[in-house]
Amino acid sequence: MAEFIPVGSFDIVIFGGTGDLAQRKLLPALYHRWADGQIPEDCRIVGISRSEMDDKGFRAFAFEACEEATPDALNKSEWKKFEKHLHYVAMDATQSDADWSALKQHLKLSDDRPLVFYLAVTPKIYVPICEALGAAGLNTPSARVVLEKPIGTDLASAHAINAGVGAVFKEECIYRIDHYLGKETVQNLMVLRFANSLFEPLWNRTAIDHIQITVAEHYGVGDRAGYYDGSGALRDMVQNHLLQLLCLIAMEPPNSINGDAIRTEKIKVLEALRPITAERAKRNTVRAQYKAGAVKGEPVPGYLEELGQDSSTETFVAIKAAIDNWRWARVPFYLRTGKRMKDRHSEIVVQFRETPHSMFGDAGTQSNRLVINVQPDEGVRLYLQIKEPGPGGLRIKSLPLNLAYADNFLVRYPDAYERLLMDVVRGNLSLFMRREEVEAAWKWVDGLLEAWEQAEVPMESYQAGLEDGPVEARLMLRRDERDWWEA
Ligand code: BG6
């Protein structure tokens, strides 16, 4: 049985306390950890935003949020105990002369009690908020600030945010969240690679033919169209989530799981990513938008219809990436992500090379393959070649050794934010991005955006809910005599 180890007492202040992220993720995550007995009784959770609201209103808002995010109805008497931790302060925290006295009344300021400032607001106001916190003397020795992605929209803006926040908080007090790093299966990538001696001798160009990383979503942009149109699949998903997955798959073994060891190895991978020039962008990338289609038999509009205007923002991207180092020379990494794909599935496929000689003729041999299901149906499958029993000649089938989480672990999968929030309180930075990581990822993405423009890479299309991206993404792999893997 999983055991929850209580964290020490802390206070958390959520800027954007009535926003989408607080509603969908942060408040439910804190509730679950409290219900599991991990959050001590004297902790305070303070929501801040400009809307006028009192504690009572905020508690009602949080109740609805937690109920929405919880499959079973919330236990009302338990909730009454939890809601006592919730408080609300209405203020404009971007003003340098903001009055922090109402907030300070809720906090127990001390040098060793963690004080978490979670910025669940637009990145444009990260720096003004931090400056105001600094001016109010709230950057205490035990204070830490959590920055949501996206950190900027390009290298220059990310640099400005990092410099501005860094002028108030030391790097070791800055927690840059990529919630993919809090997913159970993503953490398992490290365990799979570095707690099993089986893989490491094979984990390189000699045994691996190529690697595929897919993050497919079946929902569209919905009411986030305003934000999404200024971003697109490359900035919204590749710059952070997909590149983080790629780093964990490709990095060298870190010396330890603590401190900076993992982050240092990830940075090396990002720095080794081959820049995508205009010439390479034409052959090695595909961008596309979804057109009207259907999800579960129901018609759904195309991206432009949802947006209500013309746009050149991609909702799908596929990239053939290369890592220029000794381990990964000539091993392509195919990345793809899109909204309104056939279904929601995120997986990593490690395709091993063919046997050097096939003594079985045309009996149907394939190569070994390791499939890591990030979500849903979390698990790991290792495909091996097996002789099909029975008469009728030698037939070889590719079948998986199937390690499905659901069959092996009877636990509730905690949402990624639960683990990450508790790590902030514990002061564990290993699952958060360091400044250089964010900037190296932006550098590569900026180069690709520039290449798209220079090479005038066309905007392809795919039918919403009916296709796994455009045909051009399949052709990109066909040119290399490969295919996207389908279960
Ligand atoms: C967010 C993106 O970071 O991740 C969203 O902004 C995306 O566009 C979401 O839908 C996907 O997260 P998950 O955990 O549902 O795979």
Side-chain angles (χ1 to χ4, degrees):
M1 265 311 276
E3 193 189 332
F4 290 95
I5 303 163
V7 295
S9 297
F10 68 95
D11 293 328
I12 178 167
V13 180
I14 305 175
F15 294 91
T18 55
D20 179 64
L21 186 73
Q23 185 178 21
R24 284 187 309 109
K25 297 291 185 182
L26 305 180
L27 292 167
L30 289 164
Y31 172 71
H32 280 300
R33 287 298 158 129
W34 175 83
D36 285 334
Q38 202 171 14
I39 296 186
E41 276 313 312
D42 67 337
C43 293
R44 292 183 188 124
I45 300 164
V46 187
I48 291 194
S49 83
R50 281 183 303 185
S51 334
E52 277 307 325
M53 198 188 267
D54 55 13
D55 284 359
K56 198 167 161 230
F58 185 56
R59 289 170 183 176
F61 168 83
F63 178 76
E64 263 183 48
C66 293
E67 208 168 44
E68 181 76 16
T70 312
D72 309 318
L74 293 187
N75 175 324
K76 297 259 165 60
S77 67
E78 283 295 293
W79 175 267
K80 286 278 164 226
K81 291 184 210 155
F82 173 70
E83 71 169 14
K84 293 202 184 97
H85 298 267
L86 299 175
H87 302 278
Y88 183 80
V89 173
M91 68 181 288
D92 181 352
T94 59
Q95 300 303 313
S96 54
D97 58 354
D99 178 5
W100 296 90
S101 53
L103 174 68
K104 283 182 180 169
Q105 279 175 19
H106 292 298
L107 306 176
K108 261 198 195 158
L109 296 174
S110 99
D111 281 1
D112 50 9
R113 178 183 170 99
L115 171 57
V116 179
F117 294 112
Y118 200 117
L119 306 195
V121 290
T122 166
K124 286 191 198 117
I125 58 172
Y126 286 173
V127 175
I129 291 180
C130 288
E131 283 171 348
L133 286 170
L138 285 166
N139 54 342
T140 61
S142 63
R144 50 209 73 175
V145 62
V146 186
L147 307 182
E148 254 303 321
K149 66 148 275 258
I151 296 177
T153 50
D154 55 17
L155 176 58
S157 53
H159 189 79
I161 290 173
N162 283 332
V165 174
V168 182
F169 290 96
K170 287 190 192 134
E171 179 63 25
E172 61 269 25
C173 302
I174 304 175
Y175 290 71
R176 298 178 188 83
I177 271 206
D178 182 313
H179 78 274
Y180 266 57
L181 295 178
K183 290 186 190 274
E184 284 291 341
T185 33
V186 174
Q187 289 166 53
N188 188 38
L189 279 178
M190 281 186 280
V191 177
L192 192 72
R193 282 193 61 194
F194 305 127
N196 294 292
S197 57
L198 183 69
F199 293 117
E200 181 53 22
L202 302 175
W203 211 257
N204 56 49
R205 69 191 177 288
T206 317
I208 294 178
D209 178 74
H210 73 275
I211 289 177
Q212 301 182 6
I213 302 178
T214 297
V215 178
E217 299 179 291
H218 60 286
Y219 24 71
V221 289
D223 50 16
R224 293 171 75 226
Y227 150 75
Y228 191 87
D229 199 54
S231 172
L234 184 64
R235 288 189 174 100
D236 183 50
M237 296 294 286
V238 177
Q239 190 271 344
N240 35 79
H241 306 325
L242 276 89
L243 287 186
Q244 285 295 320
L245 294 178
L246 177 136
C247 284
L248 294 177
I249 284 286
M251 70 184 180
E252 294 302 313
N255 293 347
S256 81
I257 195 170
N258 301 320
D260 261 346
I262 298 172
R263 307 192 313 166
T264 303
E265 293 308 332
K266 287 197 290 168
I267 291 166
K268 289 186 201 156
V269 174
L270 292 166
E271 288 176 347
L273 274 172
R274 186 179 304 162
I276 298 196
T277 57
E279 192 44 47
R280 291 188 60 232
K282 281 192 219 156
R283 282 182 63 79
N284 293 346
T285 70
V286 175
R287 56 175 173 160
Q289 270 175 358
Y290 59 84
K291 291 191 304 193
V295 170
K296 296 190 179 118
E298 290 294 315
V300 292
Y303 178 64
L304 298 185
E305 292 148 68
E306 272 181 307
L307 192 65
Q309 65 190 52
D310 201 12
S311 163
S312 57
T313 297
E314 77 290 346
T315 61
F316 171 94
V317 59
I319 303 167
K320 176 180 171 183
I323 299 176
D324 284 330
N325 65 17
W326 194 290
R327 185 187 285 263
W328 296 116
R330 293 179 298 283
V331 178
F333 283 73
Y334 299 103
L335 317 179
R336 68 175 165 166
T337 182
K339 300 256 180 231
R340 280 274 189 251
M341 305 262 275
K342 262 203 294 210
D343 52 17
R344 178 176 184 245
H345 64 111
S346 299
E347 73 207 356
I348 298 165
V349 178
V350 179
Q351 177 65 60
F352 291 92
R353 291 192 187 282
E354 289 175 0
T355 50
H357 167 69
S358 173
M359 60 184 261
F360 300 107
D362 55 5
T365 45
Q366 292 184 28
S367 316
N368 297 121
R369 179 184 295 124
L370 179 70
V371 179
I372 301 153
N373 277 59
V374 176
Q375 62 188 25
D377 305 328
E378 290 79 355
V380 178
R381 277 167 296 160
L382 178 62
Y383 282 79
L384 302 177
Q385 316 310 315
I386 302 290
K387 179 191 173 301
E388 200 177 327
L394 181 68
R395 298 179 311 280
I396 297 180
K397 282 200 85 157
S398 181
L399 287 176
L401 289 178
N402 192 351
L403 206 163
Y405 273 35
D407 298 344
N408 290 279
F409 305 109
L410 294 170
V411 292
R412 173 182 74 81
Y413 292 155
D415 186 80
Y417 280 92
E418 295 181 32
R419 161 77 198 260
L420 294 173
L421 278 165
M422 293 301 99
D423 272 0
V424 177
V425 173
R426 284 187 282 248
N428 180 359
L429 279 155
S430 27
L431 296 178
F432 296 83
M433 293 175 293
R434 213 159 74 191
R435 175 179 183 159
E436 301 94 307
E437 261 176 276
V438 175
E439 295 184 6
W442 273 124
K443 190 172 167 202
W444 189 73
V445 163
D446 277 2
L448 174 45
L449 284 164
E450 214 177 291
W452 274 351
E453 211 172 294
Q454 275 175 17
E456 296 178 0
V457 171
M459 185 66 71
E460 312 294 352
S461 65
Y462 57 104
Q463 277 191 292
L466 298 172
E467 292 177 286
D468 253 351
V471 67
E472 288 75 11
R474 286 200 286 285
L475 294 176
M476 184 174 89
L477 264 72
R478 284 312 306 146
R479 279 199 294 275
D480 292 348
E481 298 182 15
R482 297 182 176 115
D483 288 302
W484 293 104
W485 186 73
E486 281 191 39

